[in-house]
């Protein structure tokens, strides 16, 4: 076990490398152009920095001023040097017995992750709010320890950084987890490759007579197989055994990721407990809801002459996303689009990933597990939210077959960071957006997603404010600001938007597109619609969990509930008791009250207030949490798949006290031991910070073919100021108009000093060149090779 | 009573005018330019019809082809000729004893409304779906009959149209109403003017010593009063008495409609039963929750020396919507905006108010009571919705004072049509939108709101579809189409949007802005937040009711419920019972099942399907009703204000069978007799068409000052195809891109034949000239005077 190693001893072992790494002298310097620009705006999008379009009547896109964040971004990952030095240091620790990922076999230890350890809030606040120095930096390292009969994933801390002679050590990372096993959890994946090649494929190859007959293909484990085999996630962990259920899928035959639409309806059960292949056992076949305990039984039945053969799901245009069908009238003409005639009206410190837009400011963070996050969100200089971060996304399926029934993806296991791909200007974000790169560590390399976060202002298609009477009309535009990333975790595409409004409100929005994971259609009418020849739109719940650490006028906050209740009431002024309504106000006072289900008819307002800081009228200043666009919790109660691995999914809102030891509600390896996960959220609960769910029930129908669409598969939550300012703070914008008129004559037009863009916009200059799309850029960290970047993008499918 | 008159007799009386009116010869012709253009695009917005910008590299805004609706718009109101001829015919009916509105006193009969009687669906379908002739047209006329001790509002039908010798008659209009009193209901407003001038103002003037002392003003009924007096709506109807509660308000001192923010906290109760002023009685004062039965009591207490005087609400910048406070950084620069480089990609038959966008088509209707409505909404030529129409909007307040407690506005009484004001291009709608005029009848005139409905395409700030892996990225734009009107019914501004998406879905959205009706702050902490000096943000529920008459593949439709339920289930393939979930499907079969409350956790899908038209997989083709953005029903149970006047507000969805005799769920005069309203919705219910609620609880807070903002005060419902097509119909658009790439190199870019707008857009040409704002244009109908249009806009405040 890793926890038996001595941190002190390992620290000493690291010594030899320190001078080499800690200094920039004698270390290769990056020279590639993309690398020097990685934290700056890319060339294509750098036009706001020039004034070259200032001629004639062309619109002048002014440059934001030179701009620097007030503090360092303490949440923005390791520097390239830090990541390289920590990696080198790790490989110098002989007791870790590490092998480079490319060379590692099933019985070798390797490094899975080198990332910044998110600093404790208690260490950060004296820095961002005061004059303290920045918190000491540590690397969070995940080791894949497989050189043992009991393989583990082990989280350790390496630091302090920079790596220096004698002071840098490692220690097990346990304090942020409810499971107290020295930061280690069993690794169920240690033999995943050999299980396929040496165990599963021989079983599936053995029935190639049947698969050829049914589907014209075989699953031999060969490159030219037309069939794929995979199944449940996480594996069954009943009775201390590890049980797999796998099924056959037709592979897609071209670039389109249609495979999850092509299940074939034959399932196999195996017991893969332990590391000794001799103990792995085949346990049976399932087809058309009939279970065959042995291959002989199945083959005998199959060739018996009265076996019911069901259809196959075969790729076709129905499963491809390209244009098809008659083009709607006038659709080939260019549609409306958005432009920014004055350029960016916000400031971005690309080096520190710090943004100011109107009265808002925030820092951007990015991690492997959950991708984009925002920190220290302030309005008018006053922090509203310390941390706004996705914690986990669950996609829990159900079905009459064991694969759909057994599937409960906890997507941080795969990671949102690795799959937050390059965005396409003019599509994912307006062509005038500012783009930011993001990076993650894998296999001793740093992968950089070019232009993977975008920032843009947008003119909503509806106003912020409007009022008209016979004497005047007053209108205020609703210009908002969005931070966006899109993560394709396998078949699904998650679009995450953080939206800031001039009324001081902030919205978190998630939309889902991409390929559904469909079920084979057989006897499962109760689990989904029949959507194609042999296809069922397998019902599933998406539940996503965000941590929202509110700091309303300080860190001591309270959740207030304000509920509309019908009452029958007597009044001094009425002879009759009256049926009317009232407000019922209360605070969330205990842990148990913190497990919140939305009340019916939306009758309760949830707000985070500072009970010590009432406004001049005695009302608490706060922010209201307004569920938008259909938020849900998990339908399933006490899921047999999840046990304690995703207890956050049970509630709509969970309120817990902020503690440095409880920074996250979920851990990517929770699925490795669902009975004793790394973080069991139910073990939290004291009363102050807030975790907020989003989600959607999804019963796919034909309209989900070939892809689910973002329009209706979405969920959101809106945080709006509640009695926070003396009035509507959007009155500060000049993007309004007032027209006074009478009997057809306008007497006054007031536009409040706003500039009018009466100029020409050259759309050709806005156009993104799709041939410039590159995907990810990779730099090797061990050995460190910054001068040899290469392009390589990895995806799950 | 009107119903005692003989229609036949009146028909004959109309005879003399018919030739004059029915013929266009000898009748004045409109000559004003605005009038000839009223149903065509106005000059400012007619640029899509020209090609004058085709030069150099300027964007070419192509013209839509000449275009005509397939049928006449049978829902689009009366023609000018029809309205004038019916009005003249009415005034010729001696037994109606009509007086022109401008001349009518409290004891005269007048004409309130001349409007098209919406044709019965059963008469329309043979026309729009077949070769039948258009339904015979009738005018729906509302008479204000006050020349009687028992004044009534009386609905009659006049027709058939055109008015012709001997055939045009009138008849009481009763069949669409559940109340069977010949289309008549008592008129509680008959003496509203005299009640103020002769009864209320003398009472309030009598305490001017007190009002001067408290607020430095008086309510004398004089033009220079600084105080206003008004109160509950509808009046109390307890015990067959009519009881008013009024209160004092500071008037706003400038153009801003701040009065509803300026209540003063003194209330007076009066009994105004009957038409004889001698029977009207003053019943007491209320101040600071103390009731004084007589003015003498109140005055004695007031000047006693130990009376508690509370503060006043006085207008200031806090109550005005103009820009104030520090301008946010960079806010004066022009913000992003939307452009349409190829012009309109849709077709509008302005004469028939018929629109085609992509695969959608529909007709636009407009009525006094509820404004904008859509008819015969089709996708790919197949009707989805016959009628999509607002029925009523309720704003139900509560409070510890009788005015807030007694206020339950049924806004169709005031009407959405009269207050659907001219829109401002670049604000309410993009500058490139197409605008449509709307008209309503009042006081023998037709008022035309110039540019009061807008139509526009918009590029959502998020995609329709997205999927990326290491080999390709595929993205589809989300270009949608919106129909919009904004109605300012008094203090509030309702923004109505009907949004069409390329995935075949349709969204109804309502947003609220404008001035809240606030309460005086005294002893009412349980009814709202304390939001300004002496101001409480009076809690209220907005509940809006839409009729959505679905025709899914025909008129025989069924509502299906599909619910996600947690289950513990045994499977042939598992030794353990499993905690999972299933779908529970059922139909709404009986009337009582049709009163629907949304289930918790959004677990139920509501869909309208055609049980006789399954798709090839046996699933029902339909449209799903997806509540969006927080839909609610009324908090209050058995409201003492409403009794039976708004029973539609009790449910989230109500499903009733479509009947020609039940075309509407509400009537604008329901508040005239809440115990026996014209339409008591609870008397419907049989099982087929659908009525859908939207709404929002509103507990105003400081951010509602000076105006509520559209961003968070909103509600919506989304109708999406469910198993309706074989796949996602948005695959038909060409506004998509696929980029194939590998290791940093793009191998293929597919853009599906869409045009690229690589041209220059001159924003100066898009700019709306705010000095061209006019407000409404009025044409007198009796005497008919089409050549003398004048500008006049009426608003409630």
């Amino acid at each position: 076990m890793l926890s038996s190693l001595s941190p002190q001893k390992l620290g000493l072992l690291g010594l030899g490398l320190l001078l080499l790494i800690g200094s920039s002298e004698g270390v290769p310097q990056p020279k590639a152009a993309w690398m020097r620009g990685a934290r700056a705006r890319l060339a294509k999008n750098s036009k706001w920095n020039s004034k070259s379009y200032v001629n004639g009547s062309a619109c002048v896109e002014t440059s934001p001023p030179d701009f620097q964040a007030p503090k360092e971004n303490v949440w923005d990952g390791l520097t390239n040097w830090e990541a390289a030095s920590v990696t080198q240091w790790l490989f110098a620790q002989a007791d870790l017995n590490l092998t480079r990922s490319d060379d590692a076999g099933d019985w070798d230890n390797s490094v899975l992750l080198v990332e910044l350890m998110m600093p404790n809030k208690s260490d950060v606040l004296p820095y961002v709010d005061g004059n303290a120095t920045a918190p000491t930096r540590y690397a969070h390292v995940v080791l894949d320890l497989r050189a043992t009969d009991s393989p583990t994933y082990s989280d350790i801390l390496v630091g302090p950084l920079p790596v220096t002679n004698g002071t840098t050590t490692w220690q097990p990372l346990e304090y942020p987890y409810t499971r107290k096993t020295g930061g280690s959890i069993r690794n169920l994946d240690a033999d995943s490759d050999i299980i396929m090649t040496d165990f599963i494929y021989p079983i599936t190859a053995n029935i190639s007579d049947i698969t050829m007959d049914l589907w014209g293909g075989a699953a031999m484990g060969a490159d030219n197989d037309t069939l794929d085999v995979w199944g449940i996630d996480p594996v069954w962990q009943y009775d201390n055994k590890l049980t797999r259920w796998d099924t056959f899928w037709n592979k897609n035959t071209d670039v389109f990721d249609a495979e999850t639409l092509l299940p074939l309806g034959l399932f196999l059960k195996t017991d893969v407990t332990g590391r000794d292949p001799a103990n792995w056992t085949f346990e049976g076949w399932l087809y058309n809801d009939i279970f065959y305990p042995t291959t002989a039984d199945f083959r005998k039945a199959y060739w018996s002459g009265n076996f019911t053969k069901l259809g196959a799901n075969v790729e076709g245009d129905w499963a491809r996303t390209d244009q098809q069908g008659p083009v709607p009238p006038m659709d080939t003409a260019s549609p409306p689009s958005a432009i920014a005639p004055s350029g960016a009206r916000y400031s971005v410190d690309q080096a520190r990933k710090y943004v100011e837009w109107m009265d808002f400011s925030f820092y951007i963070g990015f991690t492997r597990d959950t991708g984009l996050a925002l920190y220290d969100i302030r309005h008018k200089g006053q922090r509203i939210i310390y941390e706004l971060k996705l914690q986990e996304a669950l996609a829990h399926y159900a079905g009459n077959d064991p694969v759909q029934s057994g599937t409960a993806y906890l997507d941080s296991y795969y990671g949102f960071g690795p799959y937050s791909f390059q965005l396409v200007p003019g599509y994912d974000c307006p062509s005038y957006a500012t783009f930011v790169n993001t990076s993650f560590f894998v296999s001793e390399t740093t992968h950089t997603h070019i232009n993977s976060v975008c920032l843009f202002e947008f003119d909503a298609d509806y106003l912020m404010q409007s009022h008209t009477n016979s004497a005047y009309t007053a209108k205020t535009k609703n210009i908002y600001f969005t931070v966006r990333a899109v993560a394709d975790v396998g078949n699904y595409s998650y679009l995450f938007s953080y939206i800031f409004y001039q009324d001081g409100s902030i919205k978190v929005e998630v939309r889902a597109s991409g390929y559904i994971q469909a079920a084979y259609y057989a006897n499962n009418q109760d689990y989904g619609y029949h959507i194609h020849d042999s296809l069922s739109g397998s019902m599933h719940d998406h539940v996503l969990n965000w941590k929202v650490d509110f700091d309303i006028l300080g860190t001591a906050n309270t959740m207030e509930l304000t509920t509309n209740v019908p009452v029958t009431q007597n009044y001094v002024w009425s002879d009759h008791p009256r049926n009317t309504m009232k407000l019922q106000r209360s605070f969330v006072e205990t842990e148990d009250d913190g497990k919140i289900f939305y009340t019916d008819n939306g009758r309760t307002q949830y707000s985070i207030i500072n009970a010590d800081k009432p406004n001049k009228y005695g009302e608490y200043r706060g922010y209201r949490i307004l569920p938008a666009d259909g938020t849900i919790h998990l339908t399933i109660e006490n899921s047999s798949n999840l046990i304690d691995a995703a207890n956050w999914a049970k509630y709509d809102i969970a309120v817990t006290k902020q503690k440095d030891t409880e920074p996250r509600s979920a851990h990517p390896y929770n699925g490795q031991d669902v009975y004793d996960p790394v973080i069991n959220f139910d073990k939290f609960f004291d009363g102050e910070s807030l975790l907020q769910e989003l989600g959607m029930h999804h019963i796919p129908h034909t309209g989900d073919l070939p892809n689910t669409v973002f329009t209706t598969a979405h969920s959101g939550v809106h945080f709006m100021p509640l009695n926070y300012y003396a009035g509507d703070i959007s009155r500060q914008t000049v993007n309004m108009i007032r027209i006074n008129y009478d009997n057809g004559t306008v007497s006054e037009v007031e536009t409040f000093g706003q500039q009018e863009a009466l100029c020409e916009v050259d759309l050709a200059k806005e156009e993104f060149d799709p041939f410039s799309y590159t995907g990810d850029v990779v730099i090797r960290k061990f050995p460190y090779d910054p001068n040899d970047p290469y392009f390589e993008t990895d995806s799950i499918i």
Side-chain angles (χ1 to χ4, degrees), chain A residues 287-306:
Chain A
Y287 188 79
N288 197 14
D289 231 13
I290 301 167
F291 186 75
Y292 306 90
T294 69
T295 297
D297 292 338
F298 179 48
R299 179 173 281 113
K300 183 177 171 191
Y302 187 84
W303 296 114
S304 68
N306 58 7

Side-chain angles (χ1 to χ4, degrees), chain A residues 232 236 396-408 538 641:
Chain A
I232 62 172
W236 279 3
H396 200 313
Y397 293 72
N400 80 319
D401 77 59
V403 167
Q404 296 294 329
S405 183
T407 299
S538 180
N641 297 326

Side-chain angles (χ1 to χ4, degrees), chain A residues 114-174:
Chain A
V114 175
E115 197 172 69
L116 177 69
M117 177 68 194
M118 282 290 143
N120 294 330
K121 184 178 180 184
S122 63
D123 296 326
V124 171
L125 291 189
Y127 172 64
V128 297
D129 291 345
N131 296 316
T133 54
T136 305
R137 291 164 73 84
Y138 287 83
H140 168 212
V141 172
V142 180
L143 301 176
D144 183 4
L145 301 180
R146 298 199 280 186
T148 162
D149 280 336
S150 301
T152 62
Y153 290 115
S154 295
D155 285 18
I156 64 170
L157 272 189
V158 175
L161 301 182
V163 174
T164 37
N165 193 346
T167 51
T168 294
T169 62
W170 74 266
Q171 53 189 302
L173 177 61
E174 183 185 82

Side-chain angles (χ1 to χ4, degrees), chain A residues 570-639:
Chain A
N570 287 301
Y571 296 96
V572 59
W573 41 262
S574 175
D575 300 333
H576 303 72
R578 289 176 55 77
N579 296 329
T580 183
M581 62 182 169
K582 278 182 135 167
L583 297 181
Q584 209 168 57
R585 302 200 209 184
S586 64
F587 294 125
V588 172
E589 291 181 0
T590 71
E591 310 178 333
D592 289 340
D593 290 344
K595 299 174 177 178
I596 291 173
F597 296 96
Y598 290 132
T599 48
D600 69 294
N601 198 31
R603 62 178 77 243
T604 302
Q605 281 192 188
Y606 308 89
S607 49
I608 303 296
I609 56 100
N610 188 321
D612 299 327
K613 305 272 179 68
N615 68 12
K616 64 185 286 197
Y617 308 116
E619 299 288 357
Y620 301 122
R621 295 176 63 186
Y623 261 66
R624 178 177 166 198
I625 300 164
L626 187 64
D629 308 334
T631 62
I632 64 153
H633 57 266
L634 182 62
T635 300
I636 296 170
E637 296 166 358
N638 302 311
S639 162

Side-chain angles (χ1 to χ4, degrees), chain A residues 117-433:
Chain A
M117 177 68 194
M118 282 290 143
N120 294 330
K121 184 178 180 184
S122 63
D123 296 326
V124 171
L125 291 189
Y127 172 64
V128 297
D129 291 345
N131 296 316
T133 54
T136 305
R137 291 164 73 84
Y138 287 83
H140 168 212
V141 172
V142 180
L143 301 176
D144 183 4
L145 301 180
R146 298 199 280 186
T148 162
D149 280 336
S150 301
T152 62
Y153 290 115
S154 295
D155 285 18
I156 64 170
L157 272 189
V158 175
L161 301 182
V163 174
T164 37
N165 193 346
T167 51
T168 294
T169 62
W170 74 266
Q171 53 189 302
L173 177 61
E174 183 185 82
Y175 77 87
Y177 307 140
T178 58
R179 175 179 160 124
K180 300 302 179 186
T181 52
S184 288
I185 191 165
R186 67 181 178 191
N187 175 351
L188 302 184
D189 311 313
D191 300 303
S192 55
D193 289 344
I194 200 172
I195 285 173
M196 288 308 298
T197 55
D198 293 9
F199 180 60
I200 300 285
Y201 281 129
I203 296 168
T204 58
N206 185 26
I207 60 154
S208 58
D209 55 330
I210 294 173
T211 63
M212 284 300 295
D213 184 65
L214 271 176
W215 314 310
M220 318 287 284
D223 286 347
N224 62 355
D225 280 356
T226 62
L227 303 182
D228 210 349
V229 177
W230 49 272
I232 62 172
D233 174 17
V235 297
W236 279 3
Q237 297 166 39
Y238 287 133
D239 306 331
N240 288 314
K241 292 198 301 181
L242 296 181
T243 305
R244 288 176 69 109
W245 272 102
D246 292 280
T247 189
F248 290 80
W249 308 79
N250 259 323
K251 291 186 178 179
N252 43 296
T253 57
D254 50 25
V255 72
F256 297 100
D257 266 341
E259 184 174 317
T260 55
L261 301 179
L262 309 174
L264 293 168
L266 176 59
F267 306 89
L268 65 155
K269 183 182 183 186
T270 51
D271 178 338
V272 294
T273 310
R275 297 209 70 182
D276 183 354
N279 292 333
W280 298 343
T281 55
F282 170 75
E283 301 205 331
W285 298 100
L286 180 79
Y287 188 79
N288 197 14
D289 231 13
I290 301 167
F291 186 75
Y292 306 90
T294 69
T295 297
D297 292 338
F298 179 48
R299 179 173 281 113
K300 183 177 171 191
Y302 187 84
W303 296 114
S304 68
N306 58 7
F307 183 87
T308 302
K309 299 180 189 178
L310 306 175
N313 288 301
V314 178
E315 193 180 11
D317 281 346
W318 66 275
R320 300 183 179 110
T321 56
D322 271 3
Q323 196 282 335
Q324 54 190 289
V327 175
M330 307 189 206
D331 191 42
T332 54
S334 299
S337 64
I339 56 169
S342 297
R345 308 194 317 151
Y346 47 86
S347 302
V348 183
D349 177 343
Q350 286 267 5
R352 291 171 190 81
K353 291 183 178 164
Y354 173 79
V355 179
E356 288 187 4
W357 173 73
M358 300 295 145
D359 286 326
F360 279 106
S361 67
F362 55 86
Y363 293 85
I364 296 172
F366 189 84
T367 59
R368 189 216 79 99
D369 292 352
T370 57
L372 177 65
L374 303 184
Y375 290 91
D376 198 19
I377 301 171
R378 295 175 188 237
H379 192 249
K380 290 185 167 289
Q382 181 77 49
R383 183 166 47 253
I384 305 297
I385 294 173
Y386 175 80
E387 183 179 28
L388 177 55
K389 186 178 180 180
L390 177 68
Q391 300 291 295
E392 183 56 284
L394 167 67
H396 200 313
Y397 293 72
N400 80 319
D401 77 59
V403 167
Q404 296 294 329
S405 183
T407 299
Y409 293 121
L410 292 163
D411 278 336
S412 79
Y413 172 71
Y414 303 97
F416 288 85
Y419 308 112
S420 291
F421 295 121
Q422 180 175 0
L423 301 169
V424 181
Y427 287 84
D428 294 296
C429 322
S431 56
Y432 57 77

